[in-house]
Structures are given as structure tokens and as C-alpha cells.
Amino acid sequence: RFMAGTHWQDISRLLGRPGPFAGPDFDHTLPIREFMANDCRILVIGAGGLGCELLKNLALSGFGHIDVIDMDTIDLSNLNRQFLFRTKDVGKSKAIVAAEFINTRVTGCTVTPHFCRIEDKDAAFYRQFQIVISGLDSIVARRWINSMLLELVQYEDGQPRLETVIPFVDGGTEGFKGNARVILPGKTACIECTMDMYPPQITYPLCTIANTPRLPEHCIEYVKVVLWPQLRPDVSIDGDDPEHIKWIFDRASERAAQYSINGVTYRLTQGVVKNIIPAVASTNAVIAAACANEAFKLASSCCPSLDNYLMFSDSEGVYGLTFPCERKVGGEEICGASVRVRASACDVHGVTGPLDCPLALSRPPAVYATARGAVCVCADAQENCFGCGQVPVRVAVSSTTTLQELRQRLIDDAEFRLRAPSMTATVGGANRVLYMENPAAIRAATTPNLEKSLAELGLSNDDIVYITDPSTARPSRVQLTVS
């Protein structure tokens, strides 16, 4: 048990004196330790392998008020690495049990649990925190909290107001590999800026799993996507239901025996059904330590924070690399000019005015009239983030493109990767629902629009389509470039 009186002496000593590595905003005469203990509120998202390590590290680093949110319950397989849980806790809420453990062991630290989905909390809930740290195993959840923190940012003269920026420290592990990153919403690269760094989920061709299975995963996937819908069409697969996993395991074992395939186990079955990658406790410890260290630096300014992405691997030796992920920003931000109206050409194409864009033109440019004259913006400068960009992302389509084709592109394209997008637009001066996933009545009424072309729906060049999706907390925009 750690007592509040003596345990924080080393931290107080660290924060109470200047040093060569201190950041420019660090002032050792300020009561930083008291701020961390009394006023700085931290939100930890996830109480699993990373979350347990994070809660322990933050509590022992001097943070006095921590909230933890997790919708999951404790499984027997968690106990080999999620050390805040015991056998008696199996079936209980991870958030509640983890909070009780820390509150009992570390005097002076109060952990408040939230046994729910992150989507169940509104903007007012997230606005009360000074730092948000995630230890998630889901890209969808990362995108949602990323968009929520971006939604909280307020802008003045095109720049984010610093008091509305809540730092987001994100950690992730995959076997012996991991990463930690620091995101300042609206100022540095966000999750959407680097979506191409996340590999797509592994899928198996249906023809392979149905006709020529070669791997144990093929047998499991066959039962999951073929046999289950045939034999149990009225029941949705629940990866946390032992009866469902046992049913799939038994039939996958039978199919594996038919094709002389070894290696189908209950654990592998559960991993394929839930898309689980085996976790390594040592990797969790390293990444959680890096995230907690960044939270400490952000709260105290004792050292400059990570700029801004740390990659770690210990599969062969120990390897680490730190590099800055770059934001995807619109051309007007790169050029340093505020876009007023779109122009027909720049000065090199016949319009008088300075050419402000410093980037080489790689394809026919977009041209804007700005406060400083006509500006050419090259293709690279036009690249814009779907999440944190202040201008809509451009999407090239043809007049014959159907709404279904546009929607499918938003689902399949690596830049978007949406799950079930709903779309609206302003057509003829009036707001029009193009397609709405929910409620069911509106979905039925708008489904015929999916087969219509964009021209038939009244959409033309430069029109903006507004998109809502379960993976984001706020509406997004795309602007059509119609050929």
C-alpha cells in the first residue's frame, strides 16, 4: 500500500527544481505537484492489458483524479496479463474492479469507473478532462474518440483556441509490436490523418474457405460465415458467449479433420471470431509506460512531449523509432493564405497576382483568389484530412456515378473506411436526405436513391455531401469533383 505522505517525495523533488531538459513553459516555482494531485483530471479509455498498466503508472506518478471507461467484463483468459484482476473477479466489470483495486492500494488517488461504451457519454463528459489516454484494441473506437476531441476544439481566426484543445495520448499493441503517440487535436496529425498506417482487417476469400481450405483459420471462418447463417440464421454470433464459440469450434474441428488440417483450438477459434491478436504483457508494459510518461510531461511541462509518434518492436531484439506524423491540411493552410472565392486561373495561367504556393504543380491545379491574390494549389497541397481538416475532402466522381457507388467508396477507400454512412446534401437551396441508415422507416424511404446517379439526385460539381457514421462522433464532409 502506497501512502500519500512519502511516496511523492521524488516526484516533488523532480518538479521543484529547474533542469537542462525542461520545456520552455516549465516553472519549478509553481505548485505543479499539487495541480496534478488536485486539479488535473485524466480519462483512461480501456481497462484491459494496456489499461491496467496505465492506471497503475498514472496513480504512482502523482495524478489524483483518474476516470476509466470500459464496456467489457473480465474473462479468465485476461488474468495472465491484466494484473488488477483475480479469479474471483471473472464476469465483473473491468472498469469497476480496476478502479476498486487502485483506490485500495494507492492512497491519494481516486479512480472513478464508467461501465459503458464511450459512445454513451456526451461532449460535456469529455470536456471536463485535461488529458485523454486510450489503451484500445479497436480502430473504430479510436476514430470515435478522435472525432469527439476534434468536435470540442473551438477556432478563432482559423486557429484552434488552446484552452479547448484536450491532448490525446494513444497507445496500441499487437503481439511484440506497439506504438504510442501524442495528438493535439486541431494542431498535430490526428487518427484520420494516418489511417493508411492501419492495415485492413484480414479476410479470407470465400472460394478458398469453401473449396480449398489450407489453414485452421479457413475452417473456422467457413463455419462462421457459411454454416452459422445456414444452421442458426436467427442468432447473431456473440464472441463472448462460450456456447457460440464451442459450437463453432466443434464444427471447425470436424471440417479440419476432413481436410487433414491440424491446429484448430478453442483459443484460436475465439481469436478468429473476435479478431483477437495474442497480447504480450511486456509489450503492454513498455507502451503503457511511454503513454504515462507523455501524460506526466503534458501535465507538468517538465520535458518537451513526444513529437509525435513512437514505434516499438521487440520481436527481434529491441527496436524503437520516433518520428513526426504530418497533418493532412488543405492547400490554403500550406500556402498561408485564407481562401475567399474560387478563381478560374492563377497568374501563370493569365490572372495577375503573386503565385504564393511554394509546392511544385504535379497535375492541373485548383486555383483560389485570396487576400494576397490568385493562388495555385497543387495536388499535394490539396490533400486534406477527413477528420481534422477545416475544408471538405475532395472526391472525384462522374455524373453517372450512383449514390451506392459513392457510398461504397466511402466504406472501402483506405482514406475513409466508414462502416454505415448516411448522407445528406443541400440541393436547390433545400436540405435533402440522400440516404439514412437509421431509423428503419427513413432507410426504406431513401433506399431507392442508392440506384440513382448523382446527376439524377441534383448533385453537381463542388456540391458538399454531409456524412454521419457510427465510427465518428461528428458529421464529416466531402466535396464532389464531377467530371
Side-chain angles (χ1 to χ4, degrees):
R1 182 179 179 86
F2 297 94
M3 304 303 295
T6 59
H7 180 69
W8 315 120
Q9 288 181 351
D10 291 336
I11 293 177
S12 298
R13 190 176 295 114
L14 171 66
L15 299 178
R17 62 183 67 180
F21 301 109
D25 299 325
F26 179 69
D27 186 348
H28 69 281
T29 64
L30 297 176
I32 302 174
R33 162 76 187 96
E34 288 72 17
F35 164 75
M36 293 172 56
N38 302 322
D39 301 314
C40 184
R41 194 168 178 185
I42 307 288
L43 174 64
V44 175
I45 304 177
L50 272 177
C52 286
E53 292 277 0
L54 281 168
L55 290 170
K56 177 259 295 181
N57 292 344
L58 294 170
L60 298 181
S61 297
F63 291 100
H65 297 281
I66 305 171
D67 288 56
V68 58
I69 182 169
D70 197 309
M71 61 176 286
D72 205 0
T73 55
I74 300 167
D75 184 78
L76 184 64
S77 63
N78 300 148
L79 303 185
N80 70 327
R81 63 193 181 280
Q82 299 175 21
F83 52 83
L84 300 184
F85 310 138
R86 302 292 181 265
T87 305
K88 63 180 177 61
D89 300 322
V90 171
K92 298 180 182 178
S93 161
K94 287 186 177 181
I96 294 175
V97 173
E100 291 174 348
F101 193 105
I102 297 295
N103 290 336
T104 301
R105 292 294 296 271
V106 183
T107 302
C109 178
T110 301
V111 180
T112 304
H114 304 274
F115 181 34
C116 61
R117 302 163 66 245
I118 57 175
E119 295 90 344
D120 295 338
K121 299 295 186 180
D122 59 11
F125 171 80
Y126 293 102
R127 191 176 287 115
Q128 62 187 319
F129 299 102
Q130 277 68 49
I131 301 173
V132 173
I133 311 178
S134 75
L136 295 163
D137 57 2
S138 166
I139 295 177
V140 173
R142 278 187 175 87
R143 297 181 71 182
W144 193 93
I145 190 62
N146 176 76
S147 64
M148 171 56 75
L149 297 180
L150 287 168
E151 178 71 12
L152 299 180
V153 178
Q154 299 177 15
Y155 290 82
E156 186 173 332
D157 296 329
Q159 297 297 321
R161 293 171 51 190
L162 294 182
E163 65 271 20
T164 65
V165 174
I166 300 176
F168 177 30
V169 182
D170 177 48
T173 63
E174 183 178 288
F176 290 100
K177 301 176 182 178
N179 70 274
R181 63 188 302 183
V182 175
I183 297 172
L184 301 179
K187 293 182 66 65
T188 62
C190 73
I191 296 293
E192 298 290 344
C193 289
T194 55
M195 274 299 293
D196 52 356
M197 295 177 62
Y198 295 100
Q201 182 175 330
I202 296 176
T203 58
Y204 303 101
L206 185 59
C207 58
T208 299
I209 65 175
N211 302 317
T212 56
R214 300 182 300 274
L215 302 172
E217 290 87 349
H218 292 166
C219 301
I220 299 168
E221 194 74 8
Y222 176 81
V223 177
K224 174 185 172 184
V225 303
V226 178
L227 287 188
W228 185 284
Q230 291 178 357
L231 302 179
R232 307 183 69 171
D234 300 327
V235 182
S236 298
I237 297 177
D238 183 355
D240 295 316
D241 189 329
E243 189 273 328
H244 289 191
I245 299 299
K246 181 68 164 55
W247 191 92
I248 296 174
F249 167 64
D250 290 341
R251 280 145 190 84
S253 298
E254 295 171 0
R255 183 168 178 81
Q258 294 175 4
Y259 289 89
S260 301
I261 297 173
N262 299 320
V264 175
T265 64
Y266 183 89
R267 172 165 289 191
L268 179 63
T269 302
Q270 190 177 41
V272 172
V273 172
K274 299 179 65 176
N275 194 33
I276 295 174
I277 297 173
V280 178
S282 60
T283 310
N284 287 340
V286 171
I287 296 303
C291 292
N293 191 39
E294 293 307 316
F296 186 88
K297 292 191 290 185
L298 287 167
S300 66
S301 298
C302 66
C303 289
S305 60
L306 177 69
D307 182 25
N308 52 35
Y309 192 100
L310 167 67
M311 184 171 61
F312 171 81
S313 174
D314 59 353
S315 55
E316 297 181 8
V318 178
Y319 173 80
L321 174 67
T322 300
F323 61 92
C325 289
E326 297 182 358
R327 282 189 72 195
K328 291 182 178 178
V329 292
E332 68 277 12
E333 295 183 41
I334 291 179
C335 293
S338 175
V339 171
R340 298 290 182 85
V341 295
R342 192 166 180 114
S344 59
C346 70
D347 59 339
V348 297
H349 298 115
V351 174
T352 303
L355 180 61
D356 293 321
C357 181
L359 302 178
L361 301 179
S362 57
R363 66 182 183 187
V367 184
Y368 298 93
T370 74
R372 295 185 297 171
V375 176
C376 260
V377 182
C378 73
D380 294 331
Q382 290 182 58
E383 189 175 28
N384 188 49
C385 177
F386 189 62
C388 65
Q390 295 303 295
V391 294
V393 175
R394 280 273 174 182
V395 176
V397 295
S398 70
S399 58
T400 58
T401 299
T402 65
L403 187 64
Q404 176 60 37
E405 290 171 340
L406 174 61
R407 185 172 183 269
Q408 196 61 44
R409 178 174 173 182
L410 296 174
I411 295 173
D412 296 337
D413 196 306
E415 183 178 6
F416 305 109
R417 295 195 198 178
L418 300 181
R419 298 173 65 191
S422 299
M423 297 176 284
T424 62
T426 301
V427 180
N431 187 53
R432 179 177 181 181
V433 177
L434 302 176
Y435 176 79
M436 192 70 68
E437 186 73 18
N438 288 303
I442 299 181
R443 180 171 68 248
T446 56
T447 295
N449 289 342
L450 294 175
E451 302 304 320
K452 297 180 180 178
S453 69
L454 299 181
E456 291 175 324
L457 294 171
L459 297 173
S460 58
N461 193 54
D462 287 341
D463 280 351
I464 295 176
V465 177
Y466 297 86
I467 302 165
T468 58
D469 189 76
S471 64
T472 60
R474 65 173 186 167
S476 304
R477 300 175 297 165
V478 297
Q479 190 167 20
L480 303 179
T481 300
V482 181
S483 60

